[in-house]
Amino acid sequence: GQQVMQIPQYQHVQEGEDFTTYCNSSTTLSNIQWYKQRPGGHPVFLIQLVKSGEVKKQKRLTFQFGEAKKNSSLHITATQTTDVGTYFCAGRGGNKLVFGAGTILRVKS
Amino acid sequence: DAGVTQSPTHLIKTRGQQVTLRCSPKSGHDTVSWYQQALGQGPQFIFQYYEEEERQRGNFPDRFSGHQFPNYSSELNVNALLLGDSALYLCASSLGSLSSGANVLTFGAGSRLTVL
C-alpha cells in the first residue's frame, strides 16, 4: 500500500537557524498537505500543494512539491521558538490520505 | 464558529472492555474521519463516514466500528480493548468525502485512551 516517509525524525536547532523536513511517497500523489502539531496539541492544517513543481510560501515557511509528485519539503527560515512542534506531511493517492510519521522540531533560544 | 469537539478528553479502560468516543464536526462540515495516533507516530487512518455510511477504512480490525448521525456527528467504538489500543484518537472533519478531491481536515483535540 501507499507509504509516506519523512526525514529527519527529529531536529534540534538554534533559534535563527533554518530547518527543512522532507517527505517521500512510494506512489505518485494527487496532492500533499502539511500539518503542524504543537506539543500536547492536535494537527493543524498548514497548506496544500497540488501541482507538479509547485512552491508556496507562508511568511518564513516555504513548501515545495516535487516534479514527479512523489516528494515534498517544508523549509523554515530563521526558526523561532514558536515553530516548535511536529510537522506532518499527508499525501493523497487515490482516495487515501496517508500521514508521514512526522518531524519533531525543537528550537533552542 | 465551533471547531471539532471530541469527548471524552481522557479515559482509562482495562483490557477486554469496550469504549465509545464521540465527535462533533466543525460547523458546515459533513464528513468525519477517525485517526489513531500512537505516541511519537503520525495519525493512522481508521475510517471515514460520509452521508451516515462508512466510505473508507484503513487497516484496523473489526473491533473498531463507528457511526455517523444525521447531524453529522460521529462515534468511534472499540471492542475487546487491547493494551496496544492505548493512543490518542483524533477526529477530523471536512467538507465532502475523501474521494471528492482536495479536501482539508480540521482536527479535534483528541481523546486520550489508556488501556491497562
Side-chain angles (χ1 to χ4, degrees):
Chain A
Q2 180 189 344
Q3 290 186 334
V4 174
M5 292 147 286
Q6 271 188 266
I7 55 170
Q9 185 178 7
Y10 177 87
Q11 189 149 10
H12 200 169
V13 301
Q14 190 72 37
E15 187 174 21
E17 292 182 340
D18 292 355
F19 160 78
T20 304
T21 173
Y22 300 90
C23 181
N24 292 285
S25 170
S26 58
T27 60
T28 301
L29 302 170
S30 56
N31 62 65
I32 194 159
Q33 300 173 359
W34 285 90
Y35 293 78
K36 176 183 178 180
Q37 186 171 20
R38 294 183 183 276
H42 56 279
V44 175
F45 173 77
L46 294 176
I47 208 159
Q48 178 170 260
L49 304 171
V50 179
K51 299 176 184 176
S52 170
E54 188 171 14
V55 178
K56 287 189 176 181
K57 292 190 175 184
Q58 287 181 350
K59 297 183 181 179
R60 295 177 295 104
L61 278 60
T62 301
F63 303 83
Q64 292 188 324
F65 200 9
E67 293 289 342
K69 300 185 76 172
K70 295 182 71 173
N71 58 73
S72 180
S73 65
L74 158 58
H75 179 82
I76 302 178
T77 303
T79 55
Q80 300 175 359
T81 54
T82 53
D83 295 324
V84 163
T86 303
Y87 292 85
F88 294 100
C89 63
R92 187 182 302 279
N95 293 335
K96 293 189 182 295
L97 185 66
V98 178
F99 279 78
T103 296
I104 299 171
L105 172 64
R106 292 290 177 259
V107 179
K108 293 180 290 187
S109 59
Chain B
D1 178 27
V4 178
T5 56
Q6 291 187 244
S7 64
T9 54
H10 296 82
L11 68 166
I12 300 174
K13 295 285 187 176
T14 57
R15 281 180 299 175
Q17 285 189 313
Q18 177 265 344
V19 67
T20 297
L21 308 178
R22 296 175 176 82
C23 172
S24 292
K26 179 180 177 180
S27 178
H29 285 180
D30 57 5
T31 303
V32 172
S33 302
W34 286 93
Y35 288 83
Q36 180 194 67
Q37 187 177 27
L39 201 61
Q41 300 297 316
Q44 299 295 310
F45 176 70
I46 303 175
F47 43 53
Q48 183 194 61
Y49 277 84
Y50 173 68
E51 293 186 333
E52 301 180 49
E53 290 187 13
E54 183 183 295
R55 298 291 179 169
Q56 292 187 51
R57 189 177 184 92
N59 295 324
F60 280 81
D62 293 343
R63 298 187 297 109
F64 289 77
S65 64
H67 189 78
Q68 185 179 36
F69 300 94
N71 66 352
Y72 308 118
S73 67
S74 177
E75 288 183 350
L76 164 65
N77 301 292
V78 187
N79 295 322
L81 285 167
L82 304 173
L83 296 179
D85 294 331
S86 295
L88 178 66
Y89 287 85
L90 294 163
C91 170
S93 73
S94 57
L95 184 60
S97 68
L98 273 176
S99 61
S100 67
N103 49 358
V104 167
L105 301 177
T106 300
F107 283 89
S111 293
R112 173 82 54 194
L113 171 64
T114 301
V115 182
L116 301 176

